[in-house]
Amino acid sequence: MGILEGRLRRWTWVRALGVLAALGGSTTEASAAYAPTSDDRALLAFTNLARADAGLPPLVWHDGLGQAARVNSQKLADKGGNCDPHNCGEEWWRRVGRYYPGTAAGENYASNVPNPRIMHDGWMSSAAHRANILSSFATEFGAAIVLGQTNIGVWGFATEDFGARSVTVPTLPAGGVAPRIGYGSARELVVNYYHPGGGAPRAVRALVGSSCVSLSRVAGTATNGTYGTSRTFTGNGCVPVVFEAVRSDGTRVRWPESAAILVGVGTGGLYCAETTTAVPTQNCDGGSDPAPTPTPTPPPANESAIDALRVVMRPGKANASKGQVQVQGVLPAIAGFAPNGDPLTVRVRFGGSGDWSRTIPATCGTVDCLKGNKQGTSYRASLSGSVANLTRTKSGTWKLSFIARNQTLSALSSGEVSVSVTVDGRTFVGTADGTLKESGLVAN
């Protein structure tokens, strides 16, 4: 890595905070004028690239976490890095709590060349920072890179904040161009794609100016992966870039949805704005947009059916955040099944658009969250209002009981309820008919 490697040693990668802290702070200091930069969003794209390679679902951007990160990065930039990187003027969890009404899952900090790819690679080379990026507990993300003057010139100060709440992941969670502005012409284009159970995308590409650039999968799987390429930009000025995917059902989605990233090329591109509303509009397929044509998708080889499925989702009556989700079912007999030491994720989709999920991490401190008995026939975990039990029956199948309390449940509706349970490197799926009752949604 040459010069970069020396700089990384000089500017120490300060410890990552992986402490779980329940935050109930308000968002009263949130600024209405706040807007993340393209480089901030690119940090999420690279984070999700790493998560896809690890078989983890992507994180979703949250403006409150982005604001908390921006406050920290700005303070450090103002002080030239001469301040506690996580507690500059106040404790980190108090800062995050002012902007994010959820549970903090960790924070990363670094100072380096202000390029999101370089920042991300540095974090991934540190075990503590990497653990935050690959946390199975995290679901949301915010980040900020702020420039500051140091004794060796202008430097980038970056903060990543991770949160944990129930979220719905969009088809294209994030994208980025790195570097967005610079004298060099070669840039890395990446976009995250997520459509579990929907089959591989028909196309993933970047619309660069008036050109269509096909992207190939560089991480993860076809339905949870990152697509990218290296692109050489020519000319001099500002080039609009937008990412596009056509899902297996024919639905066309773009990121950003209503703007385009402006990439600076040559000296004329040194002062390009972040984005433009002059979005590329070319139809890369030719003809009209493809009509939805659902096609059956065989389940992956590692998916098995859940029998005797029962789901109950009860919203909190007096307090919306006091809802409860209960999932019961029977998993098939599988040789060598041992869920301890791995995260357990339960996901429930309902009513066509409802999406809820909860993850029990692999480890709680220094021990497994899912604790097994000596015979390896029963495993149990209890964490932050969630209780999971897996018990092997005499026939070799596994009874699953999962309860999550203090959940915010809204927009419950009747219809098909689908459940996926991921544990021990395997995914178990099942469906049931859901009926909305006075007490909540019940599916059998």
Side-chain angles (χ1 to χ4, degrees):
M1 296 174 62
I3 296 175
L4 173 59
E5 184 173 334
R7 286 177 174 171
L8 290 180
R9 291 196 181 108
R10 184 184 306 172
W11 289 82
T12 304
W13 294 97
V14 186
R15 68 190 182 280
L17 294 181
V19 180
L20 304 180
L23 302 178
S26 68
T27 57
T28 55
E29 294 190 20
S31 170
Y34 166 80
T37 69
S38 298
D39 283 348
D40 298 343
R41 296 276 195 174
L43 284 174
L44 175 56
F46 288 119
T47 291
N48 285 339
L49 182 155
R51 291 177 65 85
D53 255 352
L56 295 167
L59 304 181
V60 177
W61 181 272
H62 187 278
D63 275 348
L65 290 171
Q67 288 172 307
R70 175 64 56 83
V71 168
N72 192 56
S73 293
Q74 187 64 61
K75 285 182 180 179
L76 293 165
D78 292 343
K79 296 178 179 293
N82 297 314
C83 191
D84 186 308
H86 295 290
N87 305 300
C88 190
E90 65 179 325
E91 294 170 303
W92 76 280
W93 57 270
R94 293 186 185 277
R95 164 174 42 84
V96 176
R98 293 205 312 273
Y99 301 102
Y100 181 66
T103 301
E107 179 172 275
N108 286 344
Y109 161 78
S111 57
N112 203 341
V113 177
N115 180 323
R117 165 54 95 172
I118 294 174
M119 290 285 190
H120 171 75
D121 287 349
W123 277 319
M124 288 297 289
S125 68
S126 161
H129 295 85
R130 179 187 177 93
N132 279 340
I133 289 172
L134 301 182
S135 168
S136 59
F137 185 70
T139 59
E140 293 183 291
F141 176 96
I145 301 175
V146 177
L147 298 181
Q149 184 66 47
T150 71
N151 59 357
I152 57 173
V154 176
W155 210 242
F157 295 86
T159 304
E160 291 182 328
D161 282 313
F162 303 82
R165 297 188 307 169
S166 295
V167 297
T168 298
V169 181
T171 303
L172 298 181
V177 179
R180 186 180 71 87
I181 291 179
Y183 291 104
S185 57
R187 313 298 168 93
E188 183 178 8
L189 281 64
V190 292
V191 65
N192 311 132
Y193 180 87
Y194 189 70
H195 192 210
R202 297 186 186 182
V204 181
R205 55 199 162 220
L207 280 60
V208 180
S210 59
S211 301
C212 297
V213 179
S214 296
L215 304 180
S216 57
R217 179 158 50 91
V218 296
T221 65
T223 56
N224 175 23
T226 293
Y227 291 73
T229 191
S230 178
R231 172 77 174 181
T232 299
F233 285 72
T234 59
N236 190 47
C238 306
V239 181
V241 174
V242 65
F243 296 97
E244 178 181 85
V246 181
R247 300 191 323 199
S248 58
D249 61 3
T251 301
R252 189 185 302 273
V253 290
R254 284 189 171 185
W255 192 94
E257 292 184 2
S258 57
I261 300 170
L262 278 178
V263 177
V265 184
T267 56
L270 293 179
Y271 301 100
C272 292
E274 289 285 336
T275 60
T276 177
T277 56
V279 179
T281 58
Q282 61 267 30
N283 187 339
C284 300
D285 297 317
S288 59
D289 286 352
T293 53
T295 55
T297 303
N302 68 337
E303 282 196 358
S304 302
I306 303 174
D307 290 330
L309 179 64
R310 176 178 170 80
V311 180
V312 179
M313 306 182 78
R314 294 191 178 95
K317 292 183 178 180
N319 186 332
S321 66
K322 297 297 183 180
Q324 178 175 298
V325 178
Q326 183 175 357
V327 177
Q328 294 177 323
V330 178
L331 311 184
I334 297 179
F337 183 65
N340 58 317
D342 284 310
L344 167 67
T345 298
V346 177
R347 186 169 189 175
V348 181
R349 299 180 182 89
F350 53 91
S353 59
D355 198 336
W356 174 92
S357 65
R358 186 74 170 90
T359 296
I360 299 291
T363 57
C364 295
T366 59
V367 299
D368 294 338
C369 286
L370 271 171
K371 299 177 182 178
N373 60 8
K374 292 182 179 180
Q375 295 77 25
T377 58
S378 179
Y379 297 87
R380 188 178 189 277
S382 180
L383 176 69
S384 301
S386 295
V387 178
N389 283 285
L390 280 163
T391 305
R392 191 172 67 191
T393 67
K394 291 182 179 180
S395 63
T397 60
W398 291 84
K399 285 187 176 181
L400 166 71
S401 175
F402 188 93
I403 300 175
R405 301 181 177 87
N406 300 324
Q407 302 298 300
T408 300
L409 304 175
S410 60
L412 297 177
S413 60
S414 298
E416 183 180 83
V417 175
S418 62
V419 174
S420 65
V421 177
T422 302
V423 64
D424 192 34
R426 300 173 172 87
T427 299
F428 307 89
V429 296
T431 59
D433 292 329
T435 302
L436 189 61
K437 301 182 178 181
E438 185 177 350
S439 61
L441 181 63
V442 179
N444 290 289

